[in-house]
Amino acid sequence: AAAPLPLRIADFQEVLGEPTVALAKLRDLCFSGIPFDGGLRCLCWKILLNYLPLEKALWSSLLKKQRDLYSQFLKEMIIQPGIAKANLGVSREDVTLEDHPLNPNPDSRWNTYFKDNEVLLQIDKDVRRLYPDMAFFQRPTDYPCLLILDPQNEFETLRKRVEQTTLKSQTVARNRSGVTNVSSPLKTTPNTLNEYEVLPNGCEAHWEVVERILFIYAKLNPGIAYVQGMNEIVGPLYYTFATDPNSEWKADTFFCFTNLMAEIRDNFIKSLDDSQCGITYKMEKVYSTLKEKDVELYLKLQEQNIKPQFFAFRWLTLLLSQEFLLPDVIRIWDSLFADDKRFDFLLLVCCAMLTLIRDQLLEGDFTLNMRLLQDYPISDVHLILKKAKELQDSK
């Protein structure tokens, strides 16, 4: 059984209190779950994701440097283009210069601006839907970005960019053939922009902060840019940091997300799917591990032609963030981040999820089993992690 909470907290404080954090000890503690109290999780995740160095003396200078860097990114990627766009509205003479919105040159700043807007609209659609069953992401943050929200600002914010681009795409959709294009954003499905009122000026919802993080990530990583699903990876990180009781640790989601993506980004890159580091290889590995641990269940899934990509693709790519409630996802991530083999444990968690419902799977037909795997029935993640640990120890 786990040690009582005060003792566990004391264990964490002891390891984190050393001038140099003993990583192996910390991994060990985090693997069994990090207590929410006292801002421990935030700090532990930052160390496990290689954001904070093990030498504590280096922390404050590193944090200052990184946070300044992020402000720099905001200025270069959001504020500068916003000012350029706003200025253009004011003066017409710019248009006759080299760079103007109709300039076909691929290096044109405008070309980049419009391409960015496509990425931005996709991000916008995805972040508005983060954890719809929780009000958290719709609520205003206590730390809105003052650089951007200053009412004196004349420049175009991401919020304005989205509004204007959406308006443009609506008119285009309607006028192409005189009939409204079925897929136009005018169709008010529950997921359209009207779903959530944008907060009044001067306020910023948590999802808007997440949108900025993903947009800047996409700009800095043009090779991968933004792929749907990244919103599900940044969500639990941001939530964990933003709800941390210790305000000095609230920032840094961007860099921790970047570090985490560096480890899992191959899952998001289609061209790598079949390589050793790609997602297909990992999905096959779930099945080969299952074959070792439970050959009967393995053969049953094979015989029903239930391929791992039908369910394991989402499990692995999104680190199970879609299969459980957010607090449970966060608990699973404690163990995943603590895994020194970097996500080998995730394969065992997937196997554990399969073996825990083996009786139902062995009895079910294809349709029933697909439903079980697409909408996983067990919500007790402690049970799943315990089983995964048993599988790990039985090697």
Side-chain angles (χ1 to χ4, degrees):
L5 191 62
L7 278 179
R8 297 202 54 228
I9 292 176
D11 288 343
F12 273 93
Q13 284 168 339
E14 187 186 337
V15 172
L16 295 168
E18 296 290 325
T20 300
V21 176
L23 187 57
K25 264 192 202 160
L26 184 68
R27 283 189 193 284
D28 224 28
L29 285 174
C30 295
F31 187 80
S32 317
I34 305 168
F36 173 74
D37 312 67
L40 289 171
R41 178 174 276 123
C42 215
L43 181 51
C44 292
W45 279 16
K46 287 177 191 191
I47 297 170
L48 295 175
L49 291 171
N50 302 319
Y51 176 60
L52 283 177
L54 299 175
E55 292 77 32
K56 277 176 69 175
L58 303 173
W59 288 0
S60 59
S61 61
L62 173 112
L63 290 173
K64 180 173 177 348
K65 194 180 95 207
Q66 296 298 84
R67 289 167 186 183
D68 289 348
L69 180 61
Y70 189 65
S71 297
Q72 199 48 45
F73 292 155
L74 288 178
K75 287 177 189 147
E76 283 171 26
M77 291 170 215
I78 294 175
I79 296 177
Q80 288 302 328
I83 291 172
K85 176 85 194 301
N87 289 348
L88 204 95
V90 183
S91 62
R92 298 303 300 150
E93 60 270 19
D94 294 1
V95 180
T96 54
L97 298 172
E98 291 291 82
D99 202 6
H100 54 85
L102 300 176
N103 182 349
N105 175 356
D107 300 333
S108 151
R109 268 209 332 245
W110 282 104
N111 198 4
T112 316
Y113 180 85
F114 293 127
K115 272 216 171 55
D116 288 348
N117 278 358
E118 287 169 29
V119 174
L120 178 59
L121 280 189
Q122 182 60 59
I123 293 175
D124 190 76
K125 215 167 77 194
D126 294 345
V127 292
R128 285 169 186 264
R129 294 200 290 244
L130 268 176
Y131 292 96
D133 47 344
M134 286 173 57
F136 172 80
F137 284 97
Q138 309 310 324
R139 289 203 187 114
T141 166
D142 298 336
Y143 299 91
C145 179
L146 301 176
L147 275 172
I148 285 173
L149 289 188
D150 178 357
Q152 301 304 305
N153 281 341
E154 291 299 316
F155 71 83
E156 187 189 47
T157 56
L158 288 188
R159 186 189 276 194
K160 287 184 200 154
R161 266 174 91 159
V162 168
E163 283 164 13
Q164 296 194 329
T165 312
T166 317
L167 285 172
K168 281 201 194 74
S169 62
Q170 286 179 358
T171 35
V172 170
R174 200 172 38 226
N175 298 342
R176 281 284 290 283
S177 55
V179 227
T180 306
N181 181 339
V182 186
S183 64
S184 96
L186 286 173
K187 264 189 57 187
T188 35
T189 53
N191 285 334
T192 54
L193 289 174
N194 321 352
E195 186 179 359
Y196 300 119
E197 291 300 305
V198 171
L199 293 170
N201 281 339
C203 294
E204 205 173 32
H206 287 293
W207 66 261
E208 292 187 82
V209 186
V210 175
E211 174 166 89
R212 214 167 29 236
I213 290 169
L214 288 168
F215 182 70
I216 291 178
Y217 178 82
K219 291 278 292 166
L220 288 171
N221 296 276
I224 180 172
Y226 172 75
V227 181
Q228 238 177 329
M230 287 181 185
N231 54 317
E232 309 294 353
I233 297 286
V234 78
L237 279 178
Y238 178 82
Y239 176 81
T240 299
F241 291 179
T243 53
D244 193 272
N246 181 346
S247 59
E248 98 177 86
W249 297 119
K250 280 182 189 292
D252 313 309
T253 304
F254 173 79
F255 293 105
C256 291
F257 171 67
T258 302
N259 287 8
L260 178 54
M261 281 304 299
E263 301 193 32
I264 62 170
R265 59 180 281 171
D266 295 347
N267 296 345
F268 287 90
I269 301 177
K270 254 196 156 36
S271 57
L272 290 178
D273 277 0
D274 299 321
S275 69
Q276 281 269 306
C277 52
I279 188 73
T280 312
Y281 177 75
K282 289 176 188 140
M283 290 189 295
E284 296 302 335
K285 199 120 164 61
V286 170
Y287 266 22
S288 58
T289 312
L290 180 67
K291 190 176 174 182
E292 266 167 51
K293 307 286 182 190
D294 189 338
V295 74
E296 187 188 357
L297 179 55
Y298 166 78
L299 290 171
K300 173 75 178 184
L301 294 175
Q302 286 288 40
E303 170 203 324
Q304 290 190 346
N305 204 12
I306 293 181
K307 297 182 168 23
Q309 45 270 45
F310 297 160
F311 60 93
F313 179 80
R314 189 175 72 192
W315 291 5
L316 294 167
T317 309
L318 303 181
L319 306 180
L320 295 168
S321 62
Q322 287 293 281
E323 313 315 311
F324 303 100
L325 294 170
L326 187 56
D328 295 326
V329 171
I330 289 170
R331 169 61 195 91
I332 292 173
W333 284 18
D334 287 344
S335 295
L336 294 184
F337 294 169
D339 171 21
D340 60 345
K341 300 245 181 351
R342 274 323 190 208
F343 309 118
D344 273 10
F345 188 65
L346 178 57
L347 301 173
L348 293 168
V349 175
C350 294
C351 279
M353 288 168 68
L354 295 171
T355 54
L356 285 171
I357 55 170
R358 75 184 301 270
D359 297 349
Q360 290 155 278
L361 290 170
L362 290 172
E363 280 168 30
D365 60 4
F366 176 85
T367 315
L368 200 71
N369 286 347
M370 280 300 294
R371 197 172 308 141
L372 281 172
L373 295 168
Q374 296 267 332
D375 187 5
Y376 190 74
I378 297 178
S379 58
D380 180 353
V381 297
H382 296 278
L383 183 69
I384 294 166
L385 290 167
K386 189 167 161 251
K387 182 72 185 166
K389 183 82 182 92
E390 282 165 21
L391 293 175
Q392 189 180 45
D393 295 341
S394 70
K395 282 200 162 160

